[in-house]
Amino acid sequence: MLRRAIGASAMGNATEWFDYGVYAYAAVYIQQVFFPSDNESTSALYTLLVFAVSFLVRPLGGLVLGPLGDRLGRSRVLAATIVMMAAATFFVGVLPGYETAGIWAPIALVVLRMVQGFSTGGEYGGAATFMAEYSPDRKRGFFGSFLEFGTLAGFTLGALVVLGTELAVGKEAMGEWGWRIPFLLGGPLGLVGLYLRTKIEDTPVFTELAESGEVEEQATTTLKDLVRDYKRPLLALGGLVVALNVTNYTLLAYMPTYLEQKIDMSSTASLTLIIIGQLVMMLVIPFSGRLSDRLGRKPMWWVSLGGLFVMAVPMYLLMAQGFVAALVGFAVLGLLYVLQLSTISATFPAMFPTHVRFAGFAIAYNISTALFGGTAPAANEKLIAMTGSELVPAYYMMAACVVGAVALLFVPETARASIRGTGVPGVDTEVKPLQPAPAARA
């Protein structure tokens, strides 16, 4: 059952991030179809702002779907989120372009991106909560890391499909109709994820709470409890997410646009670089998750935040030297990022007790992501245009790491801590030893 739960969570998460990845990696073609302009920078900025729109809606998804997940159960909400995301992605693939529908084409694109954002507002917090509550306390970092394996798998699959389609049909056909193929594939992928999720029972932790009658009966009660009793973990999680997602969307989503438009790398070369770098990150993630079970979550975060702060500028300078140098720079930053990425599915759900866990995670995560994560590509693009400095993404990541470091000071260590019941994990719950104690002799 644990393996099935991990597979269903990771597959569903991969489907969600495949959809985001396809948009990010096909952005050059999307801007030609929906935002044609003689000014390439303006067209790119509009495309990236539409990417950011979905993130602005994510807090609404968290506010609605998070409390529902704490009241109705994790599995029901997760089934709904994957249907919404897959349907919206499929319909992006059949939208008419600006030349055919005029202003209604980008408006329809924005609406569908909002649907995607709303669904993701419940998806990520729910999937991480689902994974954490199924995992044994001593191995929560290891098993939780497979959710992020799914995230990177979705991004990588999106890049592979866009690159494969581009190579198969050519750049001219890709701009005319080929860009639609990756979006259309989101439909069947969503059906696979839905099938897997409907075959899994709700988590033992939630079922235990429901049977004891401690589940919140109304969504408004959940929100009231969160604001009144859990301000500190809400703010701390929000601060960690600033570091996490500014790095994520600067490094993974904005990088193709940066390499193609600022360093004059071809789209094929930039996608190849991203694919290789993310495959390396995927290989390392389970080992990093297992290491966090032994060393703790916070030491992994400290090394990641400090390393990114120190290495951001040198690695961006290195990336400007050519493909091989860019691959090395991306890999170094990516591996440093993995140290926090691999632990978030174990760290973030454990910051809240069971009865408000889904809502607490979803709301804090999505508000912070909306303000600082999804806007990172557009912010980087605008700041580069204003300052003329190609090092803006490095400085942006460094500032985010400082915010994350301050937040980390207020986060309790939750490695091997029980996440059952209504107590705060690591504070009010038992922390198990690294190895089981030997049996006492008679």
Side-chain angles (χ1 to χ4, degrees), residues 1-275:
M1 182 61 74
L2 175 60
R3 289 194 296 270
R4 288 171 59 192
I6 291 169
S9 297
M11 178 62 190
N13 206 45
T15 301
E16 293 273 348
W17 295 107
F18 168 82
D19 302 333
Y20 273 81
V22 164
Y23 187 97
Y25 301 136
V28 173
Y29 301 107
I30 292 171
Q31 72 185 57
Q32 296 170 3
V33 174
F34 292 96
F35 304 101
S37 172
D38 294 332
N39 189 322
E40 185 176 338
S41 294
T42 301
S43 181
L45 181 59
Y46 286 149
T47 306
L48 294 174
L49 285 173
V50 173
F51 182 80
V53 161
S54 66
F55 291 85
L56 299 179
V57 182
R58 282 176 65 162
L60 179 60
L63 285 167
V64 174
L65 299 173
L68 284 177
D70 285 325
R71 185 162 64 92
L72 302 177
R74 311 342 186 176
S75 57
R76 292 185 187 180
V77 171
L78 288 173
T81 60
I82 200 168
V83 169
M84 285 189 285
M85 172 62 85
T89 303
F90 178 85
F91 284 116
V92 169
V94 299
L95 281 181
Y98 188 88
E99 291 185 1
T100 303
I103 191 63
W104 291 108
I107 288 174
L109 179 64
V110 169
V111 170
L112 290 173
R113 290 292 298 166
M114 291 173 70
V115 173
Q116 290 177 319
F118 183 86
S119 70
T120 307
E123 162 65 27
Y124 190 71
T129 297
F130 193 84
M131 187 83 83
E133 291 183 348
Y134 255 109
S135 301
D137 293 334
R138 290 192 185 90
K139 296 183 178 180
R140 196 161 52 244
F142 173 68
F143 287 117
S145 69
F146 285 97
L147 186 66
E148 304 316 319
F149 183 93
T151 297
L152 288 175
F155 267 118
T156 305
L157 181 60
L160 281 169
V161 171
V162 171
L163 177 61
T165 306
E166 183 181 272
L167 293 174
V169 305
K171 291 184 70 68
E172 184 177 349
M174 189 72 175
E176 293 175 358
W177 54 269
W179 65 271
R180 299 179 182 276
I181 294 174
F183 287 98
L184 294 175
L185 290 176
L189 276 176
L191 292 177
V192 173
L194 177 63
Y195 173 79
L196 291 174
R197 285 187 170 176
T198 54
K199 297 299 180 182
I200 300 296
E201 298 176 359
D202 223 317
T203 71
V205 174
F206 177 81
T207 302
E208 181 182 285
L209 198 73
E211 290 175 350
S212 67
E214 296 181 273
V215 172
E216 299 282 16
E217 293 299 325
Q218 296 182 350
T220 53
T221 305
T222 301
L223 294 174
K224 187 186 303 181
D225 287 349
L226 273 172
V227 174
R228 184 187 66 227
D229 300 329
Y230 303 103
K231 292 187 183 71
R232 179 167 169 168
L234 284 170
L235 292 173
L237 194 153
L240 293 180
V241 172
V242 171
L244 175 81
N245 276 339
V246 165
T247 302
N248 184 82
Y249 293 105
T250 297
L251 198 60
L252 302 185
Y254 180 63
M255 187 59 73
T257 301
Y258 178 81
L259 293 174
E260 292 167 32
Q261 295 188 358
K262 313 305 176 187
I263 305 181
D264 296 324
M265 188 177 289
S266 70
S267 60
T268 299
S270 70
L271 285 175
T272 301
L273 183 150
I274 295 294
I275 290 167

Side-chain angles (χ1 to χ4, degrees), residues 301-381:
W301 273 80
W302 282 122
V303 173
S304 178
L305 293 172
L308 288 169
F309 185 87
V310 171
M311 299 302 293
V313 170
M315 291 303 103
Y316 266 86
L317 288 171
L318 182 63
M319 280 189 244
Q321 306 307 311
F323 179 83
V324 175
L327 180 59
V328 172
F330 180 86
V332 169
L333 295 177
L335 290 174
L336 285 169
Y337 174 56
V338 159
L339 298 181
Q340 57 183 277
L341 182 67
S342 63
T343 70
I344 60 177
S345 298
T347 304
F348 291 173
M351 293 173 69
F352 299 93
T354 307
H355 63 295
V356 294
R357 179 168 295 136
F358 196 147
F361 187 150
I363 292 169
Y365 184 92
N366 287 302
I367 289 176
S368 185
T369 299
L371 295 174
F372 301 102
T375 57
N380 278 301
E381 184 78 9

